[in-house]
Amino acid sequence: MGTSMLKYFIEIINNLDSIVLIKRDQQINERRNIKDAVDTFMEIDERKNGNAVPSNEAYELATSMMYSEWMLETPEDIDNWIAVLCPEGKRCCVIAQDNKTKTVNKFGTTLNSFPSLFPYGCRISNNCPSHRKRTVLDCVYSFKLKKYYVLDIIEWMGVPYRDFDAEFRFYFIQSKLSEIPGINEKSTTNFYPFELAPRMATRYLYQHLLEKCQFFPDSIELDGINFYYPESLYTSGETPLVLWLKPFMIPDVLQKPVNDHLVQLHKPPNYVNVFEYSQSLKKKNRKFKKKKNSTSNCDKMEVESLVEVEMDKDPVVENEICMEN
């Protein structure tokens, strides 16, 4: 009897151990499930609230934009180059990614954020978000028209087009814009209209410069013309394969007449030639930067001196209070 009772108690203890182990495993699994759920939620939350384009990525894109040089010498085959007419406005980089669109300046600073009908640019049923994919365009924003004019394409749906020549890039972006209904109109899913900046072979440009005074609606003036070498790739920084002229420079550089309106448009009274004009702009920019730096240094010195004065005064006040007490 004593032996059987002992076996009975041993069996109960073993069962209790099993129950404890089962409960422990259940608790571990529950904790694992909770942790997995929390991790999953955090991942979703990070994707939801995270920046569509990290600042370093936007900076990399903005600083890799292509810029023109002044046309100080006329290429022999300039008539075959592609002339892109640029309106008055702000040069910017437009990035559509993760169901939102934003514009950044050449320093990567965000200027605006809005929905657009470009791939990955807004929340619509056929716009599948992908952090790895994006659409990136080189544009000019017209403040008066509240409209973007597309100059060039950098990426489309994650495919880079930097290594394609200008002639193909322009054909491609023109065809893609024509395939997006409503891209040139304002709507809830396309807050700013987008339109391809006018372009043509240079040999066809001369007649337009003689006959037309306005190239953009609502009296938006022509700021200048970018001349692209047809086989030029999209490279970072300034390139001699993209050349820039103001309208009043056309007769001087290209030896082609333009109408009286364009001759006087933005022309300074002391204009001599393109070289002198470009050098004067460089001098003004250097003076502006120097003045800006000196102003910031003066402000810094004033703040530092103010802090020093306050630091000198504070102990005296504290000592007076202590003495009174």
Side-chain angles (χ1 to χ4, degrees):
M1 184 71 179
T3 304
S4 60
M5 287 294 294
L6 181 62
K7 289 181 179 180
Y8 176 74
F9 282 118
I10 291 174
E11 185 176 355
I12 291 176
I13 292 171
N14 290 334
N15 289 335
L16 288 174
D17 289 340
S18 299
I19 293 171
V20 170
L21 291 173
I22 291 171
K23 287 187 176 181
R24 187 191 67 180
D25 292 339
Q26 288 177 347
Q27 290 176 351
I28 291 173
N29 290 332
E30 287 176 358
R31 290 176 182 175
R32 285 176 177 172
N33 291 335
I34 291 173
K35 185 178 184 300
D36 292 340
V38 171
D39 289 344
T40 304
F41 175 78
M42 289 178 66
E43 290 174 2
I44 295 173
D45 190 62
E46 286 175 358
R47 287 197 300 268
K48 182 178 179 182
N49 297 327
N51 293 328
V53 180
S55 57
N56 58 344
E57 187 177 356
Y59 176 80
E60 182 181 351
L61 281 172
T63 54
S64 64
M65 290 178 67
M66 183 168 65
Y67 293 94
S68 58
E69 293 183 356
W70 288 100
M71 189 185 292
L72 302 178
E73 296 181 2
T74 307
E76 294 181 358
D77 58 344
I78 188 62
D79 287 353
N80 297 324
W81 288 40
I82 304 171
V84 178
L85 282 64
C86 303
E88 294 176 331
K90 175 73 175 177
R91 181 82 177 275
C92 58
C93 181
V94 177
I95 307 167
Q97 189 176 25
D98 285 346
N99 285 339
K100 62 183 71 173
T101 306
K102 74 175 183 177
T103 58
V104 298
N105 62 12
K106 62 181 180 180
F107 304 108
T109 304
T110 300
L111 303 175
N112 200 358
S113 182
F114 55 92
S116 75
L117 289 173
F118 288 113
Y120 321 119
C122 70
R123 295 185 180 277
I124 55 178
S125 58
N126 60 343
N127 230 356
C128 300
S130 174
H131 184 70
R132 294 184 178 181
K133 293 183 179 180
R134 63 194 178 191
T135 295
V136 185
L137 302 173
D138 186 346
C139 299
V140 171
Y141 176 70
S142 171
F143 292 95
K144 293 182 180 179
L145 296 177
K146 294 184 178 180
K147 183 178 186 177
Y148 287 90
Y149 284 91
V150 180
L151 300 181
D152 210 332
I153 180 173
I154 301 174
E155 288 186 31
W156 188 267
M157 297 183 69
V159 179
Y161 284 86
R162 293 177 178 271
D163 294 333
F164 291 86
D165 60 60
E167 195 169 16
F168 175 80
R169 295 198 311 272
F170 294 167
Y171 164 78
F172 181 83
I173 188 58
Q174 183 177 11
S175 63
K176 288 302 178 183
L177 288 174
S178 64
E179 294 173 1
I180 306 177
I183 192 65
N184 60 342
E185 299 174 356
K186 181 178 179 179
S187 64
T188 55
T189 53
N190 194 70
F191 202 74
Y192 293 95
F194 282 82
E195 184 179 321
L196 190 68
R199 60 201 64 205
M200 65 197 76
T202 305
R203 60 181 176 273
Y204 300 124
L205 173 68
Y206 306 133
Q207 192 65 28
H208 289 280
L209 296 178
L210 270 176
E211 297 175 352
K212 296 181 67 174
C213 296
Q214 296 292 331
F215 295 88
F216 303 96
D218 296 340
S219 301
I220 300 299
E221 297 289 1
L222 175 67
D223 184 33
I225 304 170
N226 267 330
F227 296 87
Y228 289 77
Y229 181 62
E231 298 179 8
S232 61
L233 309 181
Y234 194 100
T235 55
S236 302
E238 292 186 358
T239 171
L241 299 180
V242 181
L243 301 175
W244 171 260
L245 285 178
K246 292 282 189 178
F248 61 83
M249 299 174 177
I250 300 292
D252 175 34
V253 180
L254 299 182
Q255 302 298 313
K256 299 291 182 179
V258 299
N259 61 63
D260 294 338
H261 175 76
L262 295 179
V263 167
Q264 300 302 324
L265 184 63
H266 306 310
K267 185 177 181 179
N270 58 345
Y271 173 75
V272 179
N273 54 47
V274 180
F275 178 76
E276 295 292 337
Y277 183 85
S278 62
Q279 292 301 310
S280 64
L281 285 181
K282 288 181 180 180
K283 289 180 181 178
K284 288 180 180 179
N285 289 335
R286 283 196 294 265
K287 287 182 180 179
F288 176 77
K289 289 180 180 179
K290 187 176 180 180
K291 184 178 179 181
K292 187 177 180 181
N293 292 334
S294 62
T295 303
S296 61
N297 290 334
C298 290
D299 292 341
K300 184 179 179 182
M301 290 175 64
E302 289 177 0
V303 171
E304 289 177 348
S305 61
L306 180 62
V307 171
E308 289 177 358
V309 170
E310 290 178 348
M311 289 297 291
D312 290 339
K313 288 182 178 179
D314 286 344
V316 176
V317 173
E318 289 178 359
N319 290 335
E320 290 177 353
I321 294 174
C322 291
M323 288 173 61
E324 289 178 356
N325 291 337

